[in-house]
Amino acid sequence: MKDFKYKINGNDYAAHVEEQEDGTLKINLNGKEFVVELPAKAAAVRPVIKPVAAPTAVTTPAPRVVQAAGPASVTSPLPGTITDVKVKAGQKVKRGDVLLVMEAMKMANDIVAENDGTIKAVCVKKGDNVNQGDVLIEMEADAVVAAPAAPAATTPKPAPTPGAHTITAPMPGTITKVVAEEGQRVKRGDVLLVMEAMKMANDIVAESDGIVKAILAKAGSQVQSGEVLVEIA
């Protein structure tokens, strides 16, 4: 505590100064009180208040619906002739099950289920000619719920071996089965892979005799038109 008396421009001033515990100065100047903060001292005694982070809740990712329940019609992807009917009304099927076989573009194509569910009605019979978009089968799809999939690590596709004969994807699709093995000797026309495209299972066949040098796709792979699937030496 200190007292000061001084004169400024002929005026008398009396100051009473008290130092506070928080580092400030309480000053009474001619009966008027002021509080003055001294930065160095105030910082030294001022408590440090750290924000407390709210606890992070551990949440389990919500399941995702990969297939909703409801009517699901199977339509013809292109004009053709029904050569075989594999299912009947009331039958339970899984996604990927063969429902019909249709001859189109000089090939026998499997028409597969796109959903799990129950066959409600088969709208065609063996020998029927169908047009693109015609309803072939009516289904009642089941709801399928799955946990969110972890993001898959992307790996670069291997480059084809120089000089090797390559078999490429004729259209975008999904590889559902790998039939051949690396090192296997194959004949022209042998089935190497099965690819689902345009709602059909399509056989990818060898275009020449030879030995399978490399298989560049696996079951479940999404492939684009022109992508190399198999190398044959």
Side-chain angles (χ1 to χ4, degrees), residues 99-141:
L99 308 176
L100 305 163
V101 180
M102 183 177 75
E103 183 178 319
M105 299 172 64
K106 299 181 180 180
M107 296 187 296
N109 304 281
D110 292 338
I111 307 298
V112 299
E114 296 183 345
N115 310 278
D116 298 354
T118 304
I119 303 297
K120 303 297 289 183
V122 179
C123 304
V124 293
K125 63 182 182 296
K126 185 177 178 179
D128 284 353
N129 293 315
V130 296
N131 293 313
Q132 183 175 355
D134 285 355
V135 176
L136 307 179
I137 289 180
E138 294 178 355
M139 289 180 55
E140 185 70 22

Side-chain angles (χ1 to χ4, degrees), residues 19-24 41 45-46:
E19 187 171 354
Q20 307 298 306
E21 291 182 356
D22 62 358
T24 62
K41 288 187 177 182
V45 299
R46 185 182 298 124

Side-chain angles (χ1 to χ4, degrees), residues 68-85:
S73 296
V74 179
T75 58
S76 177
L78 65 167
T81 302
I82 304 300
T83 58
D84 196 5
V85 178

Side-chain angles (χ1 to χ4, degrees), residues 61-232:
R64 60 189 176 93
V65 177
V66 295
Q67 175 183 304
S73 296
V74 179
T75 58
S76 177
L78 65 167
T81 302
I82 304 300
T83 58
D84 196 5
V85 178
K86 299 287 189 181
V87 294
K88 58 185 179 181
Q91 183 175 335
K92 295 284 289 184
V93 295
K94 293 289 186 182
R95 184 178 186 276
D97 286 352
V98 178
L99 308 176
L100 305 163
V101 180
M102 183 177 75
E103 183 178 319
M105 299 172 64
K106 299 181 180 180
M107 296 187 296
N109 304 281
D110 292 338
I111 307 298
V112 299
E114 296 183 345
N115 310 278
D116 298 354
T118 304
I119 303 297
K120 303 297 289 183
V122 179
C123 304
V124 293
K125 63 182 182 296
K126 185 177 178 179
D128 284 353
N129 293 315
V130 296
N131 293 313
Q132 183 175 355
D134 285 355
V135 176
L136 307 179
I137 289 180
E138 294 178 355
M139 289 180 55
E140 185 70 22
D142 299 334
V144 177
V145 178
T154 57
T155 55
K157 297 182 182 295
T161 304
H165 178 70
T166 57
I167 306 297
T168 59
M171 66 189 79
T174 303
I175 302 301
T176 57
K177 187 177 181 181
V178 178
V179 179
E181 298 179 353
E182 292 184 0
Q184 178 180 341
R185 182 173 292 277
V186 294
K187 296 287 187 180
R188 185 177 184 273
D190 285 352
V191 178
L192 307 175
L193 305 164
V194 179
M195 183 179 77
E196 183 180 321
M198 297 176 64
K199 302 180 183 180
M200 297 183 295
N202 303 278
D203 292 340
I204 307 298
V205 301
E207 297 176 356
S208 60
D209 298 352
I211 297 174
V212 176
K213 187 74 174 176
I215 298 175
L216 306 180
K218 59 184 178 181
S221 297
Q222 302 283 334
V223 297
Q224 300 300 319
S225 179
E227 186 173 322
V228 177
L229 306 178
V230 179
E231 295 178 1
I232 297 179

